[in-house]
Amino acid sequence: MKKEFVDFSKWLRVNNIKTTLPTNIEEWESVVSINLSNNQIRELPESLGAFSNLSILNLTNNRLRKLPTCIKNLKKLRNLQCENNLLEELPSEIGALENLMVLNINGNRLKELPNEFYNLKNMTRLTLATNFIEHISEKLKNLNKLLYLSLDTNLLKELPDVFADMSALYFLDLSYNELTSLPNSISEIAELQTLLLEGNQIKNLPSLESHDMLIKLNLNGNNLENLDFDISKLEDLQILTLDNNNLKNLPDKICELKKLNYLSVSENSLEKLPTHIGDLENLLELDVEENCLKTLPESFSNLRKLKNLYLGKNEIKYEDVLNIHTIEFCDLAKT
Amino acid sequence: MQNQEDKIICECGNKTVSQAIEIFQNTDLPYKKAKKLVTECNQTCCRRPLMALFNMIEFGSIDYEQIDFLIEQKRGR
């Protein structure tokens, strides 16, 4: 029996830590998964490195300020969950986890990432949200197997222009940073299905026309005054949210999005809706609260699938929506 | 738990955790609209604890310790 396992067992006992480990230490050599979540753990022992067959390690919801350097011994680790801890830095040894595919460090205190982090070339799912990261290296381009990347709620002012090779990326969340623009290579992510840009300071978007597989686009809370690319090219788009911008109108081309079922443009300065909005034949929900709308276009009554309608804080009369019989919920509060 | 319930979850709306719970429990609005009843503003600074609380209420079980952690995390930003 490894001495490290005895040490680890003592550590569990002394700290009254709940795990799913087998009670028989003899079996620990072959353990592939350890769940240490929700234990108020402040520090991990070096003996953790003895679990050389470990594939999944869950450290979520603890009070860890650092990860032990022994992490480099977990060569078979594929999934590391460290969400909601107090990590202020990652050890450079993390770069040795060559089989790591899933890494979640959401909700920590990271300010930067070590260079070795970008050696994790097999990662497919990376969540670095809700940290204090100010800079992402050009080496991000090494992580070209990524399918899912969440960098939301950090302090990023710019991003490296390295997305051209991330052809498999289908989910990209850059919300709640300090971005004023986007790198051009974002347009080259061929498989992108979800792009979340809420809560930045973006005034001018690059053309997103190439994203013909995009299903969800969230541009809430930016400084957009118009959408000056051909939005009809996003032919798979189902969810479009543009709340809390400075839009005075929506492009007519938006009416060609036949798959759109959720459109939200609340808290803008819209004075009218596109004439042919009724062409959005699959629209289920429309939110145009807090705009400057006085009337609805005639075609509005063609929105035969519309169920939820938010029109409050405009100047629209209740009578204008009476002829839409499919509506299950209509909020006209303080109109 | 009493202390955790009395903690301010949203500075803009000056609402405690227990007040936010009451608001969420008494509305059928989706999160996007319900949150404004708590925040009384268009800001998004308290969204992590607030969204977590909304989801917990929908799920039927509130983890006060987790909400407390998220409030502290927000204050640290």
Side-chain angles (χ1 to χ4, degrees), chain A residues 40 61 63 84 106-107 130-131 153 176 243 264 267 287 289 310, chain B residues 29-30 32-33 36 42 44 47-48 65-66 69-70 73 76-77:
Chain A
Q40 306 277 336
N61 293 339
R63 299 292 180 266
N84 291 339
N106 185 11
T130 320
N131 279 281
T153 321
Y176 301 107
D243 303 310
S264 191
E267 298 166 56
D287 183 353
E289 255 184 13
Y310 298 91
Chain B
L29 290 169
K32 175 185 165 184
K33 300 296 180 188
K36 288 189 187 175
N42 296 329
T44 48
R47 72 189 180 283
R48 284 199 97 218
E65 215 165 87
Q66 177 67 4
F69 180 85
L70 293 174
Q73 193 182 61
R77 292 194 73 81

Side-chain angles (χ1 to χ4, degrees), chain A residues 211-212 214 231-237 257-259:
Chain A
H211 294 301
D212 58 354
L214 205 61
I231 200 165
S232 70
K233 301 280 187 189
L234 309 182
E235 53 192 36
D236 278 347
L237 200 64
L257 297 171
K258 298 297 181 194
K259 294 183 181 174

Side-chain angles (χ1 to χ4, degrees), chain A residues 246-259:
Chain A
N246 303 317
L247 297 170
K248 287 197 171 137
N249 57 58
L250 291 174
D252 289 334
K253 288 278 189 183
I254 210 169
C255 304
E256 294 175 29
L257 297 171
K258 298 297 181 194
K259 294 183 181 174

Side-chain angles (χ1 to χ4, degrees), chain A residues 223-238:
Chain A
N223 296 326
L224 296 174
E225 291 179 359
N226 52 54
L227 297 174
D228 53 5
F229 65 96
D230 184 355
I231 200 165
S232 70
K233 301 280 187 189
L234 309 182
E235 53 192 36
D236 278 347
L237 200 64
Q238 293 175 24

Side-chain angles (χ1 to χ4, degrees), chain B residues 2-57:
Chain B
Q2 190 60 43
N3 283 344
Q4 290 165 334
E5 279 189 324
D6 292 341
K7 213 167 209 176
I8 297 289
I9 193 168
C10 167
E11 272 92 12
C12 296
N14 197 29
K15 300 284 194 308
T16 63
V17 172
S18 61
Q19 286 171 320
I21 290 170
E22 192 179 348
I23 289 169
F24 285 152
Q25 283 174 335
N26 287 309
T27 181
D28 291 330
L29 290 169
Y31 173 72
K32 175 185 165 184
K33 300 296 180 188
K35 75 172 165 51
K36 288 189 187 175
L37 301 175
V38 177
T39 64
E40 300 174 26
C41 73
N42 296 329
Q43 302 303 310
T44 48
C45 36
C46 57
R47 72 189 180 283
R48 284 199 97 218
L50 213 51
M51 190 183 283
L53 184 64
F54 184 85
N55 290 335
M56 285 173 189
I57 290 167

